[in-house]
Structure formats: structure tokens, C-alpha cells
Amino acid sequence: MLQRARSRLGLATALALLGAAAAAADDADRVIVIAAGAPPAEKRAAEELRDVLAEATGGRPEIVAEAPAGRPAIAVGKASGLKTDGLGDEDFTIRAKDGSVAIAGGSPRGTLYGVYSFLEDEYGVRYLTADHVSVPKADPAKVVADFERTFHPRFSWRYSYYGANQSHPELAARLRNNAVSIPPELGGHSAWSLISHSVTNWIAVAKLGKEHPEFFSLRDGKRRANMKDDHFGEGGTQPCFSNPEVKRRIIAGVLADLERKNQNDGVISISQNDNMQYCQCPDCAAIDEREGTHMGSLLALLNEAGEAVAKVRPGVCVGTLAYQHTRKPPRTMRPGPNVAIQLCSIEACQVHPLDDPSCELNRDFCSDLDGWCKISDKVYVWNYNVDFTSYNLPCPNIEIIGANVKYLARNGVRGVFMQAAGGAHNTELCDLRNYLISRMIWDPSRDPAEIIDEFTDRHYGEAADDVRAYVRLICATPREKGIHRLCFGTAADYGYDDDAGRKALAILERGMKNAETPEIRDRVEKLTIGPRTILLEQPFARWVIAHQGAIGSGAIKELPPEAYEGKEAEIRELFRLYDKHGVDRFSEGLAAAPLKAALPASLRGSREGE
């Protein structure tokens, strides 16, 4: 075959083919070494390394238990000879010397994370989405220059809350989201867990309200003990945290849960219900007034619970939310040594960075964060990166995500839950936002603008400039109008009008024309759902938002004509795009299916309505 190639293509081309064949042969000589009996995550690390190098170079390295003399090797985990004593669960060391590479880290995820970082840094690999790993072509004879580095993640707990990470644990692992449920072969997940609303587990109004009204919050002289629901029913209720029997029951319940789960590390949550109906009884009010915060009466309980937990499960922390009325730190009280605080930024702005002193919505949050970090070394943050009112409306926070993560990293925060549309799939800009968040919380020293550019270049190809222009438009529009807005809003709340919607749609339609493949055109087309949602603000989106609870419950079985008159073609196109691109929710409170079912058949965007 080579003889035929030479005669047909000429000597120069044949020599090039010979060189490529020799290089491929050199690459085939490279081996990946792992120790016999290596744990599952190390085996997976070797397999990921082999498969990516095979795609990048065309040569498929062999995985062996011992490197033959004289052959270049990449030694992984225990086979590397690197010392891992003192490395944390996710720390790793990479050493390249004389053409060979050693990668090893702490157990269980360090070595796997080291391999992902090696492939990113040395081969330019990017794990963009669950079905798009960008692997540049590499010289099969590539020799990695000598270096050695050890990496320690800034945040010990990282959670980009998108459905893709939960549905595809391999993506979560590759992006180093350690809070998602991940199997052992992908390194497992952190023992730490999300601190969330939990006191209803032990003090539930439905079970205890009638018999023990004194267990629940006193407001305007009445106990809120006849509510339908602890959180939201008729406004919800809270336990009376100063009540001795309430405290006893909660602490006993926590200890029983730890025993039942045989939990020896991580955190267990004791946190308020999701409402602001805090107790105003004399005992609770006295503590709260003394401390200048409604966290006072709750923190007294937390410290008692922390002491009880420390006696039987010394590796476990007790955690709570500093959320809404409990967000402000206390004047004199201090969280116990095993009490963790997860501060929530629900009131913060989606338009301006958290540390922007000119943003009126953010100043109090920064003050609270500073206060908590001064009195506790176990501060975590629940940060919001979504518009709960409309999951598919443009959210103007892309350009502030990186700045927010950097701010939290500078201020002593241990871990970050970046809440987004985690209960949904294929929401507005979810692929870019998940990639950006994940890369930043893994390494806050990164330049977020570069991350946005690398994602758009690789995922959108020739349409990348148009996608970036779209992102700039949706971020600049509310900023230039002087708007400050938190994570609940309609298009008008964020400053988006029909003019902005038309401009945004035109930019993306230009991107669809510039796309070089049908696959990339489809990726850009999915983004058009955002501006189409702006253009459906009146009357459709407004009407749906106002009635989403009734639609979701089935109380509204069919939308009235005033909800869609004059917008029939646009609604039909929106739901065609929902179907094509797997959009399964309209908002946090409303799935796409009941909304679609409530539309006339002619507007559902699928064949049944055509």
C-alpha cells in the first residue's frame, strides 16, 4: 500500500505518510501503568486517559501493570511512585520528567481529577457537555515538557445544580462537581451534603399542631399551629426554637437519624422552614433582640445539638441555613466548633456582582458574609443563578458568575451550592452556564471571560461570535437601564421588551445561518427559546406565570383565549422547540407537560396540533 501511495502521490507525500506512521507507532509504544488491584476510580482514570489519547493522537496506549523498559509511560495512582501522604481527598500531584508522566492524588477522587486536569492542561481537552467532549488533534509523538505541580481545590464542596450533572454522573465527575451522587468508579461524591430546610422532619405541624400548639411560632398573639403545611400552606409556620420540648425532640431526632444511617462524617441539617413566620414568643424574642437577628433563638438550639452530636458522632457537623430572617450574624453568640452555616443569597442581584458596592441588593449580603466568616470557619454559600419565575427567559447573570465565585473564594467560604434549574433539562443557556460555573468553582483563579470564549468557540463553531453577542445583549440590557433584580422576575422586571427580544432573536438567527453543521445549528436554535419567551411576555407568559400553580395542579385544564390570542404562531413555534430540544419545565413551579396539555391542540407545537 505504501508503494502505491508513493507512486500516486509523489515522494514528499509518501515521506509525510511514513513520518505519520512512525509517529503513530511511537505513540502505540506508550503505555499507561496502573497497579494490580487498583481501586475503581484509578482504573477509570487510566481508561479515560487511554480513550482521550487515542482520539487525540490516533494511537491507543495499552494499560499495563508494569512499564516495559525504555517505553514512555504515564503512571497513574499507586503505580506512579509519587507520595500522596498528606494529600486531601481531591488533591493531586503531576510530575513529567524525561518523557514519562506520573499522576497521583488522594483517595478517592484525587487521581481521577489529576488525570482530567492533565488532559485539559497538556492536551487542551474540554468537557463541555454530556455529549460533547472537545478533543483537539495532537502530535502522536508529543513529549510533555518536564514539570511538577500539586493542586488543592479552593472549595472542598462544589455543586453546579443542573439536571445534566445529575442525569450524567460522568459529566459531573469530569467537571469535578463532587456534591452530585456519583458511583465509586467515578470517584464517588463528597461526604458533605446540601444544608436545607429540615426541622419539619421532627416538628411537623400536621402531626403535632393540634396537640401541641405551643411547639409552633407565636405571631400576633396566636400560635401558628393549624397550618396545612409547614412551609407554604396558608403562609407556613416555624417551630418555637426556645421551647425546651421542641429542642429535645429535634436533638433526639437528629441523634436517631445519625444512628439509623450510621453517619460518621459530613453534615446533618437543622434548618428552618421556608417562610418568614419566625416565633415572636417572649423567650424567642428576648434572644433575637439581644443578638440583633432572628438567628439567635435557632443558633442556641444548634449549639446544643452540636454538643450532643459531638459526644456520639464527633466527625459530623450540624448545619443550618442563614436564610432570609436568619441571614444576619449574631452580636455575641458564636457557632459551636461543629456547627456549619450555609448563607443564602436569595435577595441578591442577578445583574451586578455580589461585591459591587453600588448595588443596593448586594450590600447587606456582603456585610452578612463578612460577619459570618469572622466568627466561623465553616461557612458555605447557597448562591442563586436562575430566574425561578421563568426557566427559559434570559437570565442576565452570565457575566457576573465568575466575579461572584472569585468573591466567595477570597472571603473564606468552604463550599458553594450554585443553584440553577436543577430539576429541569435544557433550560436557558444551561450548557454554557453549567460549564462556566463548574470550571470556576473548581479553580476560582481562572478568567471567566476565557472560559466563556473557549466554550462558545468549541460548542458553537462559526456561530460563536453571534452567541457571544447574544450573551452581551442580555447581560447589558438590564445593566444599562439601571435595573437591580433578584432571582424572580418577568421579562419586564429584567428590562427586556419586544425590541430587546427582536434584537436577540435576530442575532441568534444569524448564528443559525453561520453554523457550519446541522448539529451546531441545532445548538444555536435551542438558544432562540430565550428571546422567543421575551416576545411572548404579553399576554402568554404573564398569564401562565400568574396561574402556574393552578395549571400545574390541573385546576386549570384549558387556557382561555385571552392567554394566547394574537400569539398563536409564536406559541406553536415555542412548543415545537420545547419538543425538539427536550425542554421539560416552564418554571420552577410548572412542568412543560401540564402547560402543553392546557393549550388548544392547534398550539402544542407537535404533530397532534399540526
Side-chain angles (χ1 to χ4, degrees):
M1 181 179 293
L2 209 50
Q3 292 280 351
R4 290 197 294 273
R6 183 180 292 118
S7 62
R8 187 167 60 249
L9 301 175
L11 181 59
T13 303
L15 289 174
L17 288 170
L18 282 169
D26 288 343
D27 188 66
D29 286 341
R30 178 184 296 164
V31 295
I32 297 170
V33 186
I34 62 171
E42 283 190 13
K43 293 179 181 178
R44 180 59 176 255
E47 292 164 357
E48 294 267 37
L49 190 58
R50 175 198 62 199
D51 294 346
V52 170
L53 290 178
E55 183 175 350
T57 68
R60 188 175 178 82
E62 183 182 3
I63 298 176
V64 299
E66 187 174 344
R71 291 177 66 176
I74 302 178
V76 173
K78 295 179 181 178
S80 68
L82 294 173
K83 293 183 178 180
T84 58
D85 295 346
L87 291 183
D89 293 354
E90 301 173 348
D91 300 354
F92 58 82
T93 296
I94 304 175
R95 177 188 296 162
K97 187 172 179 60
D98 300 331
S100 287
V101 178
I103 305 171
S107 177
R109 291 175 292 282
T111 297
L112 182 64
Y113 286 180
V115 164
Y116 291 142
S117 292
F118 172 75
L119 290 171
E120 288 171 344
D121 295 343
E122 301 302 325
Y123 284 85
V125 175
R126 296 293 183 266
Y127 300 101
L128 302 176
T129 69
D131 57 3
H132 187 189
V133 179
S134 174
V135 182
K137 294 301 178 184
D139 183 350
K142 171 184 172 73
V143 176
V144 177
D146 289 0
F147 76 92
E148 181 172 343
R149 71 182 180 98
T150 296
F151 184 84
H152 173 73
R154 169 59 188 81
F155 296 118
S156 62
W157 184 75
R158 304 171 302 277
Y159 200 164
S160 176
Y161 188 57
Y162 272 104
N165 292 326
Q166 299 172 80
S167 301
H168 301 280
E170 72 283 357
L171 175 66
R174 289 167 174 170
L175 291 176
R176 279 137 285 185
N177 277 285
N178 67 358
V180 182
S181 181
I182 295 175
E185 63 269 21
L186 288 167
H189 52 272
S190 171
W192 199 263
S193 57
L194 182 66
I195 298 169
S196 192
H197 310 289
S198 64
V199 291
T200 187
N201 294 338
W202 309 291
I203 305 295
V205 72
K207 293 181 179 180
L208 299 170
K210 186 175 182 179
E211 184 178 355
H212 292 287
E214 72 278 9
F215 286 2
F216 298 93
S217 54
L218 182 70
R219 305 278 299 188
D220 300 321
K222 296 180 180 180
R223 292 284 178 180
R224 296 182 66 83
N226 61 347
M227 321 312 295
K228 293 180 179 179
D229 178 77
D230 295 271
H231 293 288
F232 308 114
E234 298 180 10
T237 187
Q238 298 285 351
C240 173
F241 289 121
S242 65
N243 182 293
E245 181 61 15
V246 167
K247 291 197 283 188
R248 188 197 68 77
R249 288 186 181 223
I250 290 177
I251 293 171
V254 165
L255 296 178
D257 286 351
L258 293 174
E259 178 69 22
R260 176 176 52 81
K261 294 186 293 184
N262 194 27
Q263 182 178 340
N264 292 302
D265 54 8
V267 65
I268 188 164
S269 176
I270 303 178
S271 199
Q272 69 215 55
N273 296 325
D274 196 357
N275 62 72
M276 296 186 67
Q277 301 296 334
Y278 51 85
C279 186
Q280 296 176 324
C281 77
D283 290 340
C284 287
I287 301 173
D288 293 350
E289 184 177 354
R290 183 191 73 210
E291 296 299 330
T293 172
H294 297 296
M295 175 61 88
S297 52
L298 175 56
L299 186 57
L301 162 64
L302 293 167
N303 284 342
E304 285 188 38
E307 291 176 3
V309 167
K311 293 176 182 177
V312 295
R313 304 279 171 166
V316 176
C317 286
V318 172
T320 199
L321 297 176
Y323 174 66
Q324 294 186 332
H325 60 279
T326 63
R327 209 181 76 180
K328 189 176 180 181
R331 290 191 184 116
T332 64
M333 297 176 69
R334 298 293 179 261
N338 66 336
V339 173
I341 303 297
Q342 188 161 293
L343 177 63
C344 303
S345 65
I346 194 166
E347 299 91 351
C349 187
Q350 296 280 44
V351 180
H352 303 93
L354 288 171
D355 59 346
D356 182 345
S358 68
C359 181
E360 57 199 35
L361 294 183
N362 292 344
R363 286 194 290 265
D364 286 345
F365 175 83
C366 293
S367 175
D368 292 342
L369 179 65
D370 290 345
W372 281 114
C373 288
K374 287 177 181 176
I375 63 174
S376 174
D377 63 352
K378 292 181 176 64
V379 176
Y380 296 74
V381 165
W382 184 317
N383 183 239
Y384 296 80
N385 299 270
V386 66
D387 175 14
F388 290 113
T389 303
S390 180
Y391 274 176
N392 301 296
L393 183 72
C395 183
N397 72 340
I398 290 283
E399 292 180 352
I400 67 170
I401 287 172
N404 288 347
V405 173
K406 287 178 177 291
Y407 167 70
L408 299 177
R410 289 195 305 270
N411 282 271
V413 172
R414 279 202 176 191
V416 187
F417 174 55
M418 301 289 275
Q419 183 167 16
H425 291 86
N426 294 312
T427 53
E428 182 263 345
L429 278 172
C430 57
D431 298 320
L432 170 57
R433 197 177 276 107
N434 182 46
Y435 182 77
L436 172 62
I437 288 172
S438 299
R439 294 285 277 171
M440 288 302 303
I441 60 179
W442 169 246
D443 184 359
S445 71
R446 293 289 307 276
D447 181 342
E450 288 183 1
I451 294 174
I452 292 171
D453 285 348
E454 73 185 10
F455 183 93
T456 49
D457 283 341
R458 297 196 191 204
H459 200 58
Y460 297 109
E462 295 298 321
D465 285 342
D466 300 303
V467 173
R468 286 192 284 266
Y470 168 69
V471 171
R472 287 194 297 272
L473 175 65
I474 65 173
C475 291
T477 296
R479 189 171 60 238
E480 290 172 356
K481 293 181 178 181
I483 287 174
H484 300 267
R485 186 70 193 183
L486 73 174
C487 52
F488 296 87
T490 63
D493 291 328
Y494 290 111
Y496 301 133
D497 54 19
D498 281 359
D499 182 58
R502 285 190 293 270
K503 287 179 180 177
L505 185 58
I507 290 170
L508 293 177
E509 287 177 336
R510 182 180 69 208
M512 291 167 64
K513 292 178 181 178
N514 287 333
E516 62 268 39
T517 68
E519 182 180 34
I520 292 176
R521 183 190 180 280
D522 282 349
R523 291 172 185 165
V524 181
E525 182 188 59
K526 183 170 76 170
L527 302 184
T528 66
I529 293 173
R532 290 185 184 281
T533 303
I534 296 175
L535 294 171
L536 283 169
E537 170 90 344
Q538 296 288 357
F540 179 71
R542 284 266 184 171
W543 198 95
V544 171
I545 289 167
H547 299 88
Q548 58 185 317
I551 298 169
S553 69
I556 293 178
K557 298 185 182 299
E558 185 172 337
L559 271 62
E562 62 262 27
Y564 54 80
E565 281 181 332
K567 296 286 187 177
E568 289 86 350
E570 292 89 344
I571 293 170
R572 190 178 298 112
E573 175 63 7
L574 180 74
F575 280 89
R576 182 191 73 82
L577 294 173
Y578 270 31
D579 289 344
K580 179 176 179 179
H581 297 289
V583 176
D584 59 358
R585 294 201 75 82
F586 176 86
S587 66
E588 183 186 34
L590 180 61
L595 174 56
K596 185 177 177 182
L599 289 169
S602 62
L603 301 186
R604 292 176 188 166
S606 60
R607 291 190 180 277
E608 64 179 299
E610 292 177 354

